[in-house]
Amino acid sequence: MKSFILIPDSFKGTMSSTEICGIMAEAIKAHIPDACVRGIPVADGGEGTVEAFLAAVGGERRECSVTGPRFEKVSSFYGVLSDGRTAVVEMSAAAGLPLMEGRLDVLGGTTFGVGELILEAVRGGAKQVIIGLGGSATNDGGCGAAAALGVVFRDGEGRSFIPTGGTLSSVASVQSCGLARELKDVRITAMCDIDNPLYGERGAAYVFAPQKGASRETVPLLDAGLRHLHDTVKRCLGADRAQDRGAGAAGGMGYGLAALLGAELKMGIDVVLDAVGFDELLRGADCVFTGEGKIDSQSLGGKVVIGVSRRAKKFGVPVIAVVGDVGDDIGGAYDEGVSAVFPINRVAVPYSEARLRARGDLRLTVEDVVRLIKAVEERRSDIRSLS
């Protein structure tokens, strides 16, 4: 084996995907110096998504000023990939929790700046916009972003306004005829790794709003607002996207992008694989290394390891998953294309200690795997020479 693709998820709270790629590459090169190694960092749609894409395929980061989650101006950015036609936007760069500076306001927070980022990217020449939906501080159903792009929301008195989580129930009508002309023929794709619907017990408000400062009393109000928004949008525009997989992502941003802007909601790893041309890379690969902090039954829903393995399986390329920990019931991973799973924990210690030695343990584990690969290859070569 000479050609390796490295495409791990981050080990949350321990190592970034970029860092893991570097460690894996060093471990492989230590034993196969002439190996061709391609590292593809993966981000989950939150902070670091732009940098991960730029590291994987090249491009540039562009700075700009947009409206923050509290309607104040903030410094922000987006990425333009090497093709010059694809832009990557982190919604957290305009409506993320860090921008609240510790003063959470899920009732009054807006995604208006996310729409401004999209418009900046499109005016800069982008024909496809990839939006990461992680780390949001808002619960406005994506109305702020839509308003920035020309969608008009009116209250019962016919006055236009920008809805927030606390005012969604005031939306009496929605008009999309004023949508920015620059968006024509632009494809919008949202990275979404959850399957929650817009509202209800598994919806945006009940599941995620408490993390954004919502009280027990506030959550039902936010949920009612999202329900009302859906009913109004369905009546005015005919869009029925509340139950879509991921509609409840990022305070209903998934719903807003789909229902108001016609975006496609896709699993984050599939967006990454398409953007880097993963299928084509597989044609010349001998082996894929992937991984995540812990592989368990939840991983089978289609996160990084499984998403990578499903693609590789089509091309018959073996996949080695190097993980921080292994949970129960992972048998299905092998059916999806995972060839083998190797945990990096080399001694039985608590997580608080294991995370401190994770980098060294990762390298040693990958080196062990490569040693095995090399030994098998050498044995095969010996057998061929004797025959």
Side-chain angles (χ1 to χ4, degrees), residues 283-315:
R283 297 181 190 279
D286 294 318
C287 182
V288 175
F289 276 82
T290 185
E292 57 190 34
K294 181 177 182 179
I295 186 169
D296 54 23
S297 57
Q298 293 186 5
S299 303
L300 303 181
K303 293 190 177 181
V304 171
V305 169
I306 301 303
V308 167
S309 300
R310 286 172 177 166
R311 295 283 188 103
K313 184 178 181 180
K314 297 177 183 178
F315 294 84

Side-chain angles (χ1 to χ4, degrees), residues 119-333:
L119 197 55
E120 284 275 350
V122 172
R123 286 175 174 169
K127 293 301 181 183
Q128 178 180 14
V129 180
I130 297 170
I131 305 175
L133 299 186
S136 77
T138 54
N139 201 89
D140 70 351
C143 289
L149 293 168
V151 176
V152 178
F153 300 88
R154 298 187 185 277
D155 63 17
E157 301 297 321
R159 296 170 297 199
S160 63
F161 73 112
I162 302 172
T164 64
T167 61
L168 289 177
S169 293
S170 298
V171 178
S173 67
V174 184
Q175 297 172 307
S176 62
C177 54
L179 198 62
R181 64 181 183 277
E182 293 94 336
L183 291 177
K184 184 180 180 181
D185 299 325
V186 173
R187 178 184 177 189
I188 300 176
T189 304
M191 296 175 66
C192 178
D193 284 345
I194 63 169
D195 61 1
N196 302 68
L198 178 63
Y199 56 77
E201 292 183 0
R202 294 186 61 251
Y206 278 98
V207 176
F208 303 110
Q211 305 166 16
K212 307 172 186 182
S215 65
R216 183 176 299 179
E217 295 75 24
T218 300
V219 167
L221 298 177
L222 292 169
D223 185 68
L226 293 170
R227 288 174 181 266
H228 176 79
L229 173 66
H230 163 66
D231 292 341
T232 306
V233 169
K234 185 177 180 180
R235 172 171 53 81
C236 294
L237 304 180
D240 186 5
R241 308 296 297 271
Q243 300 303 315
D244 283 13
R245 179 189 178 97
M253 184 70 169
Y255 166 81
L257 290 172
L260 301 172
L261 302 177
E264 181 181 13
L265 305 182
K266 294 183 67 175
M267 294 296 291
I269 185 57
D270 287 328
V271 176
V272 173
L273 297 180
D274 290 340
V276 303
F278 189 65
D279 288 2
E280 189 61 32
L281 294 175
L282 284 169
R283 297 181 190 279
D286 294 318
C287 182
V288 175
F289 276 82
T290 185
E292 57 190 34
K294 181 177 182 179
I295 186 169
D296 54 23
S297 57
Q298 293 186 5
S299 303
L300 303 181
K303 293 190 177 181
V304 171
V305 169
I306 301 303
V308 167
S309 300
R310 286 172 177 166
R311 295 283 188 103
K313 184 178 181 180
K314 297 177 183 178
F315 294 84
V317 180
V319 175
I320 296 171
V322 182
V323 301
D325 195 12
V326 181
D328 295 325
D329 302 322
I330 67 161

